């Protein structure tokens, strides 16, 4: 089953959604053909942040640091249920444009999911600054990408158009305002890191439904 996913590597709900989808598909015996698409939550972010995530998010959403820390602790508990160790205290956010370009490179070699997993892990568990070149090169090496090809991408503009196209499609055609965002078989859309039973319902619907129009329909099972 083809699943198109728009997400960002600094989005914990995107990681949670990935794990839930994979677990449900495995339980159902459904093989997934995942196509990863770029969506930057903060395209204007610097390469790395000079303040903690808690301070940054508190300023961004006009909350207190204490409120943000409580929110992140709750997300970490949710993530742990999916086998994800979210060390939010040391997570170092940053601009993800180049990471998305490397994910596209990896995807061109059949390693898209491996790249996505490695970037999620680097940010959320290891607390590495995912916008910095050293981290990006480390992730690329970890999944077996050719370092010369990685350098060529990072030194030039290769795959930049892919990132921009993904984001334009998300905003202008699919009306995506937040991620993760899933499209099953190019016709059934689902927004958010939904509970496992919701993913199961959507997969069952995709398996049962006949071929449909190319524009995905929105679907949120009750």
């Amino acid at each position: 089953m083809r699943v198109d996913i728009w997400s960002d590597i600094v989005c914990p709900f995107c990681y949670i959604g990935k794990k839930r989808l994979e677990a449900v598909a495995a339980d159902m015996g459904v093989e997934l053909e995942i196509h990863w698409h770029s969506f930057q939550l903060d395209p204007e972010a610097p390469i790395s942040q000079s303040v903690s995530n808690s301070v940054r998010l508190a300023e961004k959403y006009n909350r207190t640091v204490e409120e943000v820390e409580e929110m992140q602790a709750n997300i970490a508990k949710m993530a742990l249920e999916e086998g994800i160790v979210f060390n939010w205290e040391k997570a170092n956010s940053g601009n993800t444009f180049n990471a998305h370009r490397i994910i596209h490179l990896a995807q061109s070699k059949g390693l898209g999911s491996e790249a996505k997993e490695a970037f999620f892990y680097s940010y959320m568990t290891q607390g590495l600054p995912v916008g910095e070149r050293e981290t990006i090169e480390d992730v690329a090496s970890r999944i077996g990408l050719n370092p010369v090809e990685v350098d060529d991408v990072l030194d030039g503009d290769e795959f930049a158009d892919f990132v921009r196209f993904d984001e334009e499609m998300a905003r202008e055609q699919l009306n995506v305002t937040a991620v993760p965002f899933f499209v099953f078989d190019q016709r059934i859309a689902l927004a958010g890191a939904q509970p496992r039973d919701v993913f199961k319902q959507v997969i069952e619907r995709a398996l049962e439904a006949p071929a449909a129009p190319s524009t995905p329909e929105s679907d949120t099972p009750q």
Side-chain angles (χ1 to χ4, degrees), residues 15-92:
Y15 201 7
I16 291 169
K18 174 181 181 294
K19 291 294 192 181
R20 288 177 176 171
L21 171 64
E22 291 171 341
V24 170
D27 287 345
M28 297 177 68
V30 175
E31 184 175 348
L32 300 179
E33 176 192 331
I34 296 180
H35 295 254
W36 293 101
H37 298 276
S38 306
F39 191 99
Q40 290 181 276
L41 290 173
D42 186 1
E44 305 303 320
I47 294 299
S48 59
Q49 299 288 345
S50 58
V51 298
S52 71
N53 264 4
S54 296
V55 172
R56 180 180 63 84
L57 292 171
E59 293 174 350
K60 181 176 180 179
Y61 295 110
N62 195 27
R63 300 283 186 89
T64 67
V65 172
E66 291 74 18
E67 287 174 331
V68 169
E69 289 180 342
E70 182 180 2
M71 175 190 71
Q72 292 194 108
N74 289 335
I75 295 173
K77 290 179 183 178
M78 185 188 307
L80 193 58
E81 293 175 358
E82 305 303 331
I84 301 167
V85 177
F86 180 23
N87 291 315
W88 56 269
E89 301 95 330
K90 65 177 183 177
N92 192 331

Side-chain angles (χ1 to χ4, degrees), residues 30 85 89 118 150 165 197 217:
V30 175
V85 177
E89 301 95 330
V150 172
F165 178 80
D197 61 337
E217 59 180 281

